[in-house]
Amino acid sequence: SEFQYDYEVYHPLEEIQSWMFEMNRTHPHLVDMFSIGRSYEGRPLYVLKLGNRKRLHKKAMWIDCGVHAREWIGPAFCQWFVREAVNSYLHDSSMRRLMNQLNFYIMPVFNVDGYHYSWKTDRFWRKTRSKNAKYHCRGVDANRNWKVKWCDEGASLHPCDDTYCGPFPESEPEVKAVARFLRKHRKHVKAYISIHAYAQMLLYPYSYKYATIPNFDCVETAAQNAVRALYSAYGVRYRYGPASTTLYVSSGSSIDWAYKNGIPYAFAFELRDTGYYGFLLPEALIGPTCMETMRAVRAIASGLLKKC
Amino acid sequence: KLYSNRYEGDQVLRIIPSSHVEIQLLKQLFQNMTVDFWQPSSTSFIHMGSSVDIHVGRNSTGRLKAHLQQTHIHYEVLIPNLQKEMEKQAGYRSSRKRR
């Protein structure tokens, strides 16, 4: 019987993982599932590789969702992206071209321990769930734990703070696993996208300082095209620009690390909304949010195929 | 009840500081009061003209609002009862499933 999965509801971790297995089983020509390591609490860190397997040495795009546990629209989008990519491969020529010429690495839930905790205990948990020897507080902000100006401005050294940078860079096994994977594949990965909520923004480096990146023209154009594509769906406006000026200065972020690691296009999306619902974005808005974001991500992916 | 009803009475408030004095007052206030920052992620990011969205526990809402009123800092209630909001959304899903 046909596998039924509702992409317009939020799913707990176990359901997302079952869905990943099912996508891997039913689309072997386009989907490859693998694990890049284990979380602090021992959960596997699954990634789906999407793309036509016949071609080798393709450029790649990495998308991770759920770095912050309470931002549930993130994992919902990652699942939506995978569904759209595989379902439209046959009848959508532009998606087929993207899947033929690029690989997409999709990590639907980055912070698996935190996400599980947000379903079971604390809906508004943000950090990972690692323990601290000296304090009763748990967790590290996975978007302050990367090795780029680590624990400088915009991050906290106190374990009880929500922006705690951790005892050292890449202390979190989740961050270490993704960093290791991206370092290993740095030759092919040309775009890094991290999905967050909420603010309706598209951000690029730098987060840790007020400065312009060397390839500003190309990245700014890509961002402009992306928000324009997003707007074309439902008329929703996203602000865009360097994270330090558009949002705030923060050190140790994944987009800064990805950029420093040689990935020329590094973006963080802050999805809907702007505060009316905040982290409690209703399920009725999952569809529109994901549809518009899909257009933006496709615009970025299409840009990778052009020279800039 | 979702999450054992722990969010009953919790609120989400929005404050938009309009002066440096207000920013300092807010930072001092949040040093002595535990709130969950929705946006921005910490007090160090509070700027003039930018929204500060905070999730406040039911035991702290009265005290916080009184303090904001005393210091003439304007605020808006974005979500008056987090538990009810979550239950409402869960209810929508149940009725959708029944349909």
Side-chain angles (χ1 to χ4, degrees):
Chain A
S1 62
E2 207 178 271
F3 174 65
Q4 298 286 339
Y5 192 82
D6 193 342
Y7 290 87
E8 298 192 43
V9 299
Y10 297 115
H11 291 273
L13 182 66
E14 297 73 20
E15 287 180 14
I16 295 176
Q17 287 177 342
S18 300
W19 164 84
M20 291 176 79
F21 277 100
E22 189 61 20
M23 292 307 279
N24 187 46
R25 188 186 73 79
T26 52
H27 300 87
H29 56 303
L30 287 177
V31 179
D32 180 32
M33 178 178 173
F34 56 94
S35 168
I36 58 171
R38 295 227 162 223
S39 69
Y40 180 83
E41 290 179 343
R43 295 183 174 89
L45 301 171
Y46 289 126
V47 174
L48 293 174
K49 180 181 177 182
L50 312 181
N52 186 328
R53 294 212 212 182
K54 288 181 187 167
R55 302 200 190 182
L56 301 171
H57 309 302
K58 297 193 288 182
K59 287 182 187 175
M61 171 186 274
W62 167 278
I63 305 174
D64 61 52
C65 301
V67 167
H68 293 137
R70 57 191 179 183
E71 297 163 12
W72 286 9
I73 187 62
F77 171 73
C78 266
Q79 293 167 81
W80 188 282
F81 181 92
V82 171
R83 189 270 302 264
E84 277 300 296
V86 300
N87 280 6
S88 62
Y89 180 80
L90 286 177
H91 65 262
D92 182 334
S93 59
S94 67
M95 179 55 83
R96 189 163 54 251
R97 187 167 147 256
L98 289 177
M99 295 277 273
N100 284 345
Q101 297 191 31
L102 298 170
N103 283 325
F104 293 90
Y105 294 105
I106 313 296
M107 190 174 192
V109 188
F110 183 110
N111 180 5
V112 287
D113 298 345
Y115 187 76
H116 177 77
Y117 189 73
S118 74
W119 268 84
K120 292 288 179 216
T121 308
D122 183 350
R123 173 63 179 87
F124 305 108
W125 187 257
R126 170 184 166 96
K127 299 188 288 184
T128 63
R129 292 292 299 160
S130 54
K131 284 183 186 168
N132 187 284
K134 290 183 191 169
Y135 288 86
H136 67 281
C137 300
R138 288 177 78 148
V140 168
D141 186 336
N143 207 28
R144 300 290 189 278
N145 192 236
W146 299 77
K147 199 175 175 181
V148 54
K149 212 80 158 98
W150 173 80
C151 221
D152 204 69
E153 198 177 340
S156 172
L157 270 168
H158 200 287
C160 295
D161 286 348
D162 256 2
T163 54
Y164 176 46
C165 53
F168 53 86
E170 296 182 21
S171 62
E172 302 312 280
E174 300 84 358
V175 172
K176 193 179 176 80
V178 172
R180 188 174 55 227
F181 180 87
L182 291 176
R183 271 191 287 263
K184 188 176 168 188
H185 294 85
R186 64 150 54 102
K187 229 172 80 171
H188 302 292
V189 177
K190 300 298 176 192
Y192 170 88
I193 294 177
S194 191
I195 305 291
H196 293 261
Y198 59 89
Q200 290 178 200
M201 290 180 183
L202 176 54
L203 307 169
Y204 53 80
Y206 298 107
S207 302
Y208 73 91
K209 63 178 177 179
Y210 297 114
T212 305
I213 49 177
N215 64 337
F216 169 80
D217 288 340
C218 294
V219 171
E220 168 81 356
T221 303
Q224 212 170 54
N225 291 338
V227 300
R228 204 177 287 144
L230 188 150
Y231 178 83
S232 71
Y234 296 100
V236 172
R237 294 191 188 278
Y238 269 50
R239 287 168 53 195
Y240 64 97
S244 54
T245 48
T246 312
L247 193 59
Y248 42 69
V249 170
S250 65
S251 56
S253 75
S254 65
I255 60 171
D256 282 348
W257 182 90
Y259 190 75
K260 186 184 140 199
N261 198 52
I263 298 174
Y265 295 92
F267 293 103
F269 276 86
E270 294 277 355
L271 301 187
R272 289 198 202 185
D273 59 6
T274 53
Y276 187 83
Y277 291 111
F279 300 120
L280 295 180
L281 193 72
E283 288 176 333
L285 293 180
I286 290 177
T289 304
C290 290
M291 256 194 268
E292 66 194 13
T293 309
M294 188 78 197
R295 290 192 184 193
V297 172
R298 284 178 67 155
I300 293 170
S302 299
L304 290 187
L305 302 179
K306 297 175 191 154
K307 236 185 172 171
C308 182
Chain B
K1 290 284 183 181
L2 296 171
Y3 299 98
S4 308
N5 211 38
R6 68 183 277 179
Y7 300 110
E8 176 60 40
D10 288 14
Q11 296 191 339
V12 178
L13 307 185
R14 170 165 285 181
I15 303 161
I16 303 178
S18 56
S19 69
H20 292 294
V21 170
E22 286 190 0
I23 292 172
Q24 289 312 313
L25 285 170
L26 287 171
K27 288 184 177 183
Q28 272 168 21
L29 174 64
F30 296 136
Q31 263 179 348
N32 301 320
M33 179 183 272
T34 304
V35 296
D36 169 25
F37 276 86
W38 277 25
Q39 185 182 231
S41 44
S42 83
T43 53
S44 53
F45 302 131
I46 295 178
H47 296 301
M48 207 154 59
S50 292
S51 302
V52 179
D53 296 347
I54 45 171
H55 160 206
V56 190
R58 65 178 170 274
N59 294 334
S60 303
T61 51
R63 188 159 63 98
L64 175 61
K65 286 177 181 176
H67 192 94
L68 293 173
Q69 281 158 13
Q70 273 167 27
T71 49
H72 306 291
I73 296 177
H74 177 73
Y75 66 90
E76 182 192 342
V77 179
L78 293 179
I79 301 178
N81 190 319
L82 265 175
Q83 187 71 35
K84 283 196 168 44
E85 181 60 37
M86 290 197 287
E87 301 283 355
K88 186 173 85 178
Q89 291 188 17
Y92 289 148
R93 184 205 284 212
S94 300
S95 62
R96 239 195 359 253
K97 272 192 175 167
R98 279 197 298 275
R99 282 200 303 273

